[in-house]
Amino acid sequence: MTSDPRRPRREVLAQAVVRLRDGGVQSPEHDAAELLAHTLGITRGALPLVDEVAADDHDRFLALIARRAAREPLQHLTGAAGFRHVELQVGPGVFVPRPETELLAGWAIDQAREIADLAGRAPVVVDLCTGSGAIARAVADEVPAAEVHAVELDEAALVWAGRNLAGTGVDLRAGSMDDAFDDLAGTVDVVVCNPPYIPLEAWESVAPEARDHDPHLALFSGDDGLDAIRVLQRRARLLLRPGGVVGAEHADVQGESAPGVFLDAGGWSDVRDHRDLADRPRFLTARLAR
């Protein structure tokens, strides 16, 4: 008589949670459930309907758990990341979009909608440092009338952006934010950017998922973390039409210094900072003087 090779789902998940927690993963229950659902080809909501896990599925699940416990990003293992109302393809070579960035995208979407409604024309939106194309994709998805442009410097990230923006009508270009879109100078309504903003000296404090797997070009930005935001200030000034707006994410310790880049430069009004759902400083916005 041979033993049943199937294992109870609850037991499989419980053991995986312990493994992930021992590895320092911050959300072991969530990640274990996501990986088991991915292994079985079902949604996480359907997991309670699964009583047992077959041996071959269990083996594949354990392999994913081992990689996650070694702090490989969850999204690299599933190949996907949800962002607002869209699902993005992600993997090695591209910055995995964070939930906090959805707030910045939401602000850009609101600005674009307001222009479409009040001005009665297609709003022009530029996404600098687009990475996976997350913000550009969200704007195109939620404001179909918008004319959306995006740029990315890193070659590997550009490939992912191309996949995520294919068929959306977004104008995706290869290049650097500091000289992108000269042809749009003075015509843009909204500039949005999730730039690198981590100080080089903060290397050791960065979570292994980001430090060891996200492109460093998307993470670090000079000694104080503000180099890219300084470039953004200059570029947004050139691209925006008078009264146009710019928004940019920053680190939670940059709630004063990041908006300060725009205040010190002059020529900007309505410079303010916005907090995330955890009440931490998260992104700045400013309006080009008319």
Side-chain angles (χ1 to χ4, degrees), residues 121-122 124 185-189 236-245 288-289:
R121 61 174 176 79
V124 180
T187 69
V188 178
D189 297 296
R237 183 189 298 271
L238 181 142
L239 292 176
L240 290 171
R241 65 175 69 240
V245 291
L288 186 64

Side-chain angles (χ1 to χ4, degrees), residues 7-17 36 53 58 61-62:
R7 294 171 178 267
R9 169 184 53 83
R10 292 180 181 273
E11 176 185 311
V12 167
L13 280 175
Q15 292 174 347
V17 167
L36 183 56
V53 179
H58 186 235
F61 175 62
L62 288 181

Side-chain angles (χ1 to χ4, degrees), residues 89-169:
Q89 296 182 51
V90 295
V94 71
F95 182 81
V96 175
R98 273 44 171 184
E100 295 88 346
T101 307
E102 295 185 16
L103 299 175
L104 173 62
W107 168 86
I109 287 164
D110 289 343
Q111 299 300 313
R113 281 178 175 160
E114 183 175 333
I115 292 164
D117 293 342
L118 299 181
R121 61 174 176 79
V124 180
V125 181
V126 165
D127 178 17
L128 300 175
C129 305
T130 195
S132 65
I135 296 177
R137 172 74 180 274
V139 174
D141 176 65
E142 297 182 50
V143 193
E147 176 187 318
V148 185
H149 306 265
V151 68
E152 175 55 45
L153 177 61
D154 185 85
E155 292 182 1
L158 188 67
V159 172
W160 289 103
R163 294 171 181 164
N164 290 318
L165 297 176
T168 64

Side-chain angles (χ1 to χ4, degrees), residues 181-206:
F181 302 116
D182 280 345
D183 55 312
L184 299 179
T187 69
V188 178
D189 297 296
V190 182
V191 171
V192 62
C193 183
N194 183 12
Y197 50 70
I198 300 175
L200 290 172
E201 64 182 19
W203 166 269
E204 292 297 336
S205 67
V206 179

